[in-house]
Amino acid sequence: MPAEHVAVTLRQLKDAPIERSTMLWGGVPFQWETHKAPYRSDEDQPFITIVHSSRVPASVGAWVRQTTDSIAARDSRFKCAPSLSLRKWMEGSVVNAKQQALPPGFSHDTDDAWPHLQQLIADVEKIGERNAILLPTADTYRISKQLVLGPATGLMGLGPVKPIISYVGDALDPITQDNAAGAMITWKGFDHAWGGIKDVALFANRRAVHCLYIEGDVTPGFKISDVHGQHALLDIVSVATAGYSSSPVNMIIQAFTAYPFIKDGFSGVSAVCGRSVLRFRLNGSVGTVTVRDANLDNGVLSFIDIDCPGDLSGIDYLFDNCRFEQNRLNGDIVTLRYGDAGSEPGTLTFRNCKHAHGAAGSRTSAFVRNHTRSNPQRPDITCDPFLSNEAIGSVYADAYDSGKTVPYVLAEHFRRQFRIEHSRSPVRGAFPSISRPMGLWPPIDAAAGGNVTVHDHDKLFTNLGAEAPSGFRLPPLAHVAAGFRVRFSVQSGHPMTVRPSGSDAINGLPSLTSSASRDALTVEKSGLGEWTVLGRIGNWT
């Protein structure tokens, strides 16, 4: 806030010109009001709420301390942002944001808003409180340089139409500036316990590497809400905490959109950014990142890129009510990279998420692709439900272990509601365990064959999609308890063979082989310590 709006003493507040509308005294905003005149001063009380002006009679108006209720009652625009805590929005920056940021005669079509916005940011940071810079509706703010916000500053548009922040500066380098230096807007610092950006549109114009770049600790309270971004050279939003402390990560991105701006007469569709719409390179071992109510087009690499450096990969990701529209050939939705260390990765959850193809000829290769080649770590993935009007090559694809790839036909088989439990099948080459939620089905393993482990009690094995005969070997009887049960179901036209280990037998036989599709078999270790057939469909010999 400019110095003329700050009163150091009570006398300075009383002598302030009423045209300034808002003054800050003792870190508290006071607003000039007239609608309840005459005003009775309480300047002789320990807690002062009403201050008479030395320039205007009390019968006309007074300086009135502002509270959360008074701000909301006077300015109905706050009622459009129920997720914000009004206690953390200083009245001075709300009322005077436009006057402070832009000089008289400023042209939104041609003039550079950067020096005025950056100065306002500096003024807000000097106050030492948590403030927000509000941008008027439907204006365009052309910036020639990067806006740098501190941890105490929020940025917010007002009204039903988002203001546009458009980067018009020199083109940045995606190779050497794949960091905070390449962003049109960045938050820096060690504490993002409050702040964020709301109700704005960000146009990188293929000149900035990132629309938003957030670095430092990302803790509860930092939000990206109702933001639209497009045409960054690499990422729309890049969140990076590598190099800072490993505090728990908690971040919310809601009502976020990213899709190409297509001019009239333009028949093709290009990617919304050069790499990924949302990129997370988080140095935190625990926490949750929530992306809610997002409507996203694709980047060249993927929609979401999760890169976990070092040993810190245990953050959970929740995508709730998100829509992914693929407009590229063989693009991926989520890409993963894990460091060389062996920490257990967090989970990926897709709740009420939708997938669709946009441009003609577009195709999704993998919904989740793990690019890690030197580390067998992979997350458990829950889809509840997973809805798609178009075919997808794989629900999950793995560069380290091709045996973990889950074909999309399996999602169809499960009616799009399932959980891929990589934690249950860590052995290389073993197909992941897949289960239906709420106990509707036992966990399922759809594979060309392999070893049944001691952890697979009550699991259902199938040969779904198999193109040749398959075989499954039971664990040694000595390694499992009585009552250990395994189920088998033939889902392709190729036979399936079930074999015990070593000298063990199933009902006295060395193996059992199906005779037709839809055959089924259930075996259990009996109280006598033998493999017995509990039930079968079809002829197993």
Side-chain angles (χ1 to χ4, degrees):
M1 181 178 289
E4 62 267 22
H5 286 268
V6 179
V8 178
T9 64
L10 178 61
R11 173 49 58 184
Q12 289 181 346
L13 176 60
K14 294 173 67 67
D15 293 343
I18 63 172
E19 292 79 10
R20 292 179 183 171
S21 179
T22 302
M23 293 292 295
L24 198 68
W25 175 51
V28 178
F30 279 76
Q31 178 80 16
W32 177 257
E33 293 185 2
T34 59
H35 64 285
K36 292 184 179 180
Y39 288 87
R40 181 176 179 179
S41 171
D42 56 5
E43 299 170 29
D44 57 342
Q45 299 299 313
F47 185 77
I48 300 175
T49 60
I50 298 176
V51 176
H52 285 168
S53 170
S54 61
R55 296 170 179 261
V56 179
S59 59
V60 175
W63 294 103
V64 180
R65 177 189 289 263
Q66 299 303 293
T67 65
T68 296
D69 294 338
S70 66
I71 294 172
R74 187 178 64 259
D75 194 341
S76 61
R77 294 171 297 185
F78 281 111
K79 297 178 181 179
C80 300
S83 63
L84 301 175
S85 174
L86 298 183
R87 296 183 181 88
K88 299 173 182 177
W89 294 71
M90 298 298 292
E91 180 66 358
S93 60
V94 169
V95 173
N96 296 311
K98 186 173 182 180
Q99 297 96 298
Q100 293 171 11
L102 305 174
F106 179 89
S107 172
H108 286 280
D109 296 324
T110 59
D111 291 348
D112 185 3
W114 177 82
H116 311 292
L117 290 174
Q118 194 62 64
Q119 182 59 52
L120 178 59
I121 292 169
D123 293 339
V124 169
E125 287 293 321
K126 288 179 181 178
I127 297 175
E129 299 288 342
R130 295 167 176 174
N131 284 268
I133 296 171
L134 274 74
L135 305 178
T137 300
D139 285 330
T140 297
Y141 294 81
R142 298 159 52 90
I143 58 173
S144 62
K145 298 180 181 179
Q146 178 187 88
L147 283 179
V148 180
L149 292 96
T153 304
L155 191 62
M156 177 181 174
L158 294 177
V161 180
K162 292 179 173 62
I164 298 172
I165 301 178
S166 180
Y167 181 74
V168 296
D170 294 336
L172 303 174
D173 186 357
I175 298 177
T176 63
Q177 295 178 300
D178 185 10
N179 49 36
M184 56 182 286
I185 301 177
T186 183
W187 269 267
K188 295 183 177 181
F190 296 91
D191 177 19
H192 291 304
W194 180 86
I197 182 168
K198 178 178 175 65
D199 281 327
V200 297
L202 306 175
F203 290 2
N205 299 321
R206 303 192 191 283
R207 305 182 69 80
V209 179
H210 315 282
C211 287
L212 290 176
Y213 195 96
I214 299 99
E215 64 179 2
D217 292 340
V218 181
T219 51
F222 188 88
K223 292 183 178 180
I224 297 174
S225 180
D226 292 293
V227 171
H228 170 78
Q230 65 184 44
H231 292 162
L233 293 174
L234 286 183
D235 311 307
I236 302 300
V237 176
S238 186
V239 185
T241 60
Y244 294 86
S245 71
S246 55
S247 300
V249 171
N250 284 277
M251 183 176 188
I252 296 176
I253 299 176
Q254 60 188 20
F256 183 78
T257 62
Y259 44 81
F261 174 73
I262 303 174
K263 296 182 179 180
D264 293 340
F266 181 70
S267 58
V269 178
S270 60
V272 72
C273 57
R275 181 167 56 195
S276 300
V277 176
L278 299 173
R279 186 171 190 254
F280 302 99
R281 193 171 190 271
L282 299 180
N283 186 26
S285 56
V286 295
T288 302
V289 172
T290 301
V291 181
R292 181 178 292 121
D293 300 328
N295 189 357
L296 305 181
D297 205 321
N298 54 290
V300 170
L301 175 65
S302 65
F303 291 70
I304 316 294
D305 184 41
I306 299 173
D307 188 349
C308 303
D311 187 44
L312 301 173
S313 58
I315 299 168
D316 297 326
Y317 293 85
L318 168 63
F319 299 92
D320 186 10
N321 195 36
C322 296
R323 183 179 184 273
F324 306 98
E325 180 174 310
Q326 181 66 263
N327 279 298
R328 296 186 63 79
L329 176 63
N330 294 327
D332 298 326
I333 304 299
V334 179
T335 51
L336 306 172
R337 291 173 179 81
Y338 293 106
D340 293 332
S343 65
E344 183 176 348
T347 61
L348 297 178
T349 300
F350 300 91
R351 181 185 300 155
N352 295 318
C353 289
K354 303 173 182 63
H355 165 271
H357 288 167
S362 58
R363 179 181 183 273
T364 295
S365 179
F367 194 77
V368 177
R369 183 181 298 276
N370 191 345
H371 284 279
T372 309
R373 295 183 179 274
S374 60
N375 189 329
Q377 297 297 326
R378 54 191 62 85
D380 288 347
I381 303 170
T382 298
C383 296
D384 186 21
F386 172 70
L387 302 176
S388 178
N389 294 327
E390 312 288 348
I392 296 174
S394 302
V395 177
Y396 175 84
D398 198 304
Y400 177 81
D401 185 356
S402 60
K404 301 294 184 185
T405 296
V406 179
Y408 176 68
V409 66
L410 190 62
E412 285 286 280
H413 180 71
F414 276 96
R415 299 179 184 175
R416 306 178 180 89
Q417 195 173 41
F418 56 93
R419 178 176 175 85
I420 302 173
E421 297 175 295
H422 284 122
S423 58
R424 289 179 54 126
S425 55
V427 179
R428 186 162 186 171
F431 194 84
S433 176
I434 303 178
S435 61
R436 285 287 296 274
M438 299 173 289
L440 296 180
W441 277 25
I444 189 171
D445 219 331
N451 293 326
V452 179
T453 73
V454 296
H455 305 291
D456 293 331
H457 171 65
D458 208 32
K459 183 184 286 188
L460 171 65
F461 288 86
T462 84
N463 62 351
L464 182 67
E467 298 180 356
S470 57
F472 294 89
R473 186 171 298 277
L474 298 172
L477 281 166
H479 294 175
V480 297
F484 181 90
R485 181 185 305 115
V486 190
R487 310 163 192 258
F488 301 91
S489 175
V490 181
Q491 297 293 324
S492 75
H494 299 282
M496 174 191 295
T497 299
V498 179
R499 297 182 177 88
S501 295
S503 60
D504 297 341
I506 307 174
N507 280 10
L509 300 174
S511 66
L512 290 174
T513 300
S514 66
S515 60
S517 180
R518 305 303 178 188
D519 284 1
L521 179 72
T522 301
V523 298
E524 181 180 86
K525 180 178 178 179
S526 68
L528 298 177
E530 300 173 345
W531 288 118
T532 60
V533 175
L534 287 185
R536 72 177 79 193
I537 298 175
N539 186 22
W540 292 76
T541 58

